Amino acid sequence: MKKTLLILFLLNLQFGCSPSSYTNERSLDKIAPNRWSTATSSGNQNSDYNQTYWIEQFEDPNLTKAVKKAWVSNPNLLAMAERVLASGEGVIVAGANLFPSAKADLSGSRSKRNLIGFNFPNGETSFTSESFNSGINLSWELDLWGKLRDYRKSAKTRFKGTEEEFEATRLSLAGQIAKAWFGIIESEGQLRIARNTTATYSQNQAFIQDRFEKGLASALDNDLAQATLSSARASLARRNRTHQIMIRNLELLLGDYPAGIADRNHSGELPSLSPSSIPPTPAQALERRPDLKASWLEVEALGLDIGISQKNLLPSFSIIGGPGSRSGEFENLLDERFRIWDISGAISQPLFQAGRLRAQVRKSKALQNAAKENYKAAALQAFAEVENALSGEQLFKDEEAELELATKASESAAKRSWERYQRGVEGIFVTLDAQRRAFEAESRLLSVRKERIFNRINLYLALGLNALPESQ
C-alpha cells in the first residue's frame, strides 16, 4: 500500500505540475528595445503617459455619439459579444466535470418465458413477470492528477482571451468609425474645392468663348477652356460618387441601412491636432494592446492543453452508484422495504491506443510553439505600427506646413496669371496651368490633413489606448 501511494505521489509531481511549466515567460528582450527608436531620434519621448481617451481628444461630441451607437448596433461586434458569452458558458461546462453528476431513472419491463419439459400444475409451460426500477444514479471521476482542473483553467483562459479579442474588435471599430467620420469631412471639403474649380473654369470658358466669338481669342484657346471645364465637371461627378460610397460605409459601421443619407451634424472642418504623448517603453504597448493579450492567453491555454494530454496517459478513477428501489409492482417503488443501493469504483488505464495519446502530447506542444511564434509576430507587427505612426507624426506635420505655403503661393500665382491673360500678355496655357496648380495644392493640403489625422488614429490603435471610458 505504501508503495502504491508513493508511486501516485511521484506521478502527481511529474504530471500534476503547474501549467506555467509549459508556458515560458513573455520575454521579448531580444527584439524589443528600451525606447522607441523614432521617438528617441525625434526627441518627442514623453515619460508622462497620457491616459486621456483618444476619441474625446478630437472634441467632437457627434463623433463620440457615433462610436457609442456603433458599439451597441454594429452586427459584427454584437456577434463577437455573443461568442464571448458562449465562451463564458464553456467555462461552466468544463468546470462541471469536477463535480459528481446525478440523474433520476425510472424503468419498467414485462417478460414472458417458456419452460418446456417441466411439469407445472395445470399444464402451464410459460409464465410472465414484471419488474420496475427507480433510483438516482451518481457518477464521479476523481481528479487525482488535476486533469479536470486543467480543463477548467484552459476554458477560463480562453474565455479571458475571447474577452480581449472583443475589446480589440471594439477598439478597431472605434478607429474605423473615426476614420470614416473624418474621411467624409475631407470628402466634403474636396467636393467644395471641385465645385469651386468647376465654377472658375466655367467662368473662364464663358469669357474665352465671348472673346473667341469677337475674334479676340483663337479656336485653340476656346477648345482648351471647354476641355478643362468638362474635365472639372467629370472630377466633380467622381467626387460625388466617392462621397456617397463613404457615407454608406459609415452607415454600415453604425449598423444602419446604407441609404447614403447619414446626418452627422458636424462643423465641416477637420480638427487641429495637439502634440501626442507616447509610452516610455515598447513593453507598455504590449501590456495595453488587447489583441496581444489575447494572443498570449492562447499560449497559456495551449500550455494547459499539454498538461491535459500528458495526464491522459495516466489511470483514471471513477465512482458510480446510488440509491433506488426495485419491485415487481409499480406501486411498491415508494415502499421502504424495496429500497436498494449500490456503489462501485473503477480504474481505467490506457494500454494500447496505436500512439494516439503520445501523438496528442506532441501535437499540443507543436501548437503551443506555433502560438508563441504567432505572438512574437504580432508583437513585432505592433512595434512596426507604432514606429511607423511615430515617424509619420513629424513627417505629416512638415508636409502640411509646406503645402500651406504652396497653396498660398499657387493661389496668388493663379490670380496674377489670369490678370495677365486678360491683358493679353500671357497665353491661356500658362493661365490654366496656374489655376490647376492652385486647386491641386488646396486639394493636397486637405488630403494630407486627413492623412495626418488617420496617422494619429493609427498611433492610438497601435498603442492600445482606450477610445472611451469603459462605462460608455
Side-chain angles (χ1 to χ4, degrees):
M1 182 65 180
K2 292 181 179 180
K3 291 183 178 180
T4 302
L5 293 176
L6 179 60
I7 292 173
L8 293 177
F9 175 74
L10 293 175
L11 288 173
N12 195 36
L13 284 180
Q14 181 178 359
F15 295 100
C17 55
S18 170
S20 61
S21 60
Y22 307 115
T23 306
N24 297 329
E25 292 295 325
R26 282 183 285 184
S27 177
L28 292 173
D29 296 337
K30 296 181 179 179
I31 59 174
N34 295 327
R35 300 168 67 88
W36 301 104
S37 60
T38 305
T40 302
S41 61
S42 60
N44 60 344
Q45 190 76 32
N46 189 348
S47 59
D48 183 15
Y49 194 16
N50 192 350
Q51 298 292 336
T52 304
Y53 302 105
W54 60 265
I55 285 291
E56 296 177 347
Q57 292 186 6
F58 293 114
E59 299 180 351
D60 189 337
N62 292 305
L63 171 60
T64 301
K65 291 179 182 179
V67 172
K68 292 178 182 179
K69 183 181 188 305
W71 279 355
V72 298
S73 303
N74 183 274
N76 292 328
L77 187 63
L78 295 178
M80 186 66 190
E82 293 298 329
R83 287 193 288 271
V84 173
L85 294 176
S87 181
E89 298 299 333
V91 177
I92 298 176
V93 173
N97 294 326
L98 285 166
F99 303 95
S101 63
K103 61 179 180 178
D105 288 334
L106 176 64
S107 62
S109 63
R110 179 181 177 88
S111 62
K112 176 181 179 181
R113 297 187 179 183
N114 294 318
L115 303 173
I116 300 174
F118 294 89
N119 295 321
F120 288 98
N122 301 324
E124 295 289 342
T125 59
S126 64
F127 71 93
T128 60
S129 64
E130 295 180 344
S131 176
F132 298 92
N133 298 276
S134 66
I136 298 177
N137 292 328
L138 301 173
S139 61
W140 187 19
E141 181 179 352
L142 302 179
D143 191 26
L144 185 61
W145 318 115
K147 179 178 71 174
L148 300 181
R149 290 192 295 273
D150 285 349
Y151 268 120
R152 182 174 63 181
K153 290 178 182 177
S154 177
K156 190 173 183 179
T157 301
R158 286 191 166 91
F159 169 60
K160 292 179 179 178
T162 307
E163 286 183 314
E164 295 297 338
E165 289 176 354
F166 174 77
E167 289 301 322
T169 303
R170 198 167 74 140
L171 181 61
S172 175
L173 179 60
Q176 294 177 62
I177 292 291
K179 288 183 178 180
W181 189 270
F182 295 123
I184 291 174
I185 294 178
E186 186 263 349
S187 177
E188 289 172 344
Q190 297 289 2
L191 276 174
R192 175 181 52 80
I193 295 173
R195 294 189 187 102
N196 292 339
T197 302
T198 302
T200 299
Y201 288 159
S202 178
Q203 292 174 1
N204 291 352
Q205 194 274 334
F207 177 79
I208 295 173
Q209 184 177 5
D210 181 66
R211 287 172 58 87
F212 172 70
E213 292 174 353
K214 294 178 180 179
L216 299 176
S218 66
L220 177 60
D221 290 354
N222 188 56
D223 290 342
L224 284 174
Q226 181 61 52
T228 304
L229 174 60
S230 298
S231 178
R233 288 172 175 171
S235 296
L236 178 59
R238 176 176 56 82
R239 290 287 185 185
N240 274 306
R241 184 180 72 251
T242 303
H243 186 68
Q244 286 297 314
I245 293 174
M246 296 176 70
I247 292 178
R248 290 190 176 92
N249 287 339
L250 176 61
E251 290 171 334
L252 287 176
L253 292 173
L254 295 174
D256 295 334
Y257 181 82
I261 55 174
D263 181 13
R264 298 175 297 107
N265 296 318
H266 61 82
S267 63
E269 298 293 335
L270 292 174
S272 58
L273 296 178
S274 59
S276 63
S277 59
I278 60 173
T281 64
Q284 288 194 351
L286 297 182
E287 295 172 359
R288 296 187 65 91
R289 281 187 58 144
D291 57 333
L292 294 181
K293 292 180 184 178
S295 181
W296 185 253
L297 286 169
E298 179 62 18
V299 174
E300 293 183 347
L302 288 168
L304 290 163
D305 291 346
I306 294 174
I308 294 170
S309 61
Q310 289 179 333
K311 291 169 186 178
N312 283 332
L313 297 168
L314 302 175
S316 61
F317 302 85
S318 59
I319 299 175
I320 57 176
S325 299
R326 180 180 300 165
S327 173
E329 301 293 337
F330 180 79
E331 58 270 17
N332 293 334
L333 291 178
L334 300 178
D335 194 328
E336 292 186 357
R337 294 176 299 171
F338 296 90
R339 296 287 174 82
I340 60 173
W341 62 268
D342 67 89
I343 185 170
S344 60
I347 300 177
S348 176
Q349 170 63 53
L351 295 179
F352 178 72
Q353 297 286 333
R356 178 176 62 87
L357 296 181
R358 296 192 181 278
Q360 184 62 43
V361 174
R362 296 191 297 271
K363 175 184 176 182
S364 298
K365 291 181 178 180
L367 289 175
Q368 192 198 40
N369 289 334
K372 289 179 181 178
E373 294 302 321
N374 287 337
Y375 173 77
K376 180 180 177 181
L380 288 172
Q381 180 62 34
F383 294 150
E385 291 171 359
V386 176
E387 295 286 3
N388 289 335
L390 288 176
S391 64
E393 283 285 303
Q394 186 61 43
L395 295 175
F396 276 117
K397 183 178 179 181
D398 295 341
E399 185 178 358
E400 181 179 354
E402 294 298 330
L403 282 174
E404 286 178 351
L405 297 175
T407 300
K408 292 179 181 179
S410 297
E411 289 175 351
S412 177
K415 183 179 179 180
R416 293 175 185 275
S417 180
W418 179 249
E419 292 174 352
R420 288 170 60 84
Y421 174 76
Q422 288 179 312
R423 296 198 304 266
V425 297
E426 194 164 82
I428 190 62
F429 293 101
V430 176
T431 300
L432 293 177
D433 185 64
Q435 291 177 340
R436 177 185 59 80
R437 289 177 182 273
F439 288 124
E440 286 183 354
E442 186 180 4
S443 176
R444 287 179 59 196
L445 176 60
L446 188 59
S447 294
V448 80
R449 284 175 176 169
K450 179 201 70 173
E451 292 300 326
R452 188 181 175 193
I453 292 174
F454 281 12
N455 184 75
R456 178 64 62 85
I457 295 172
N458 290 336
L459 177 60
Y460 293 144
L461 296 176
L463 294 175
L465 300 183
N466 292 326
L468 289 171
E470 292 297 326
S471 60
Q472 300 183 14

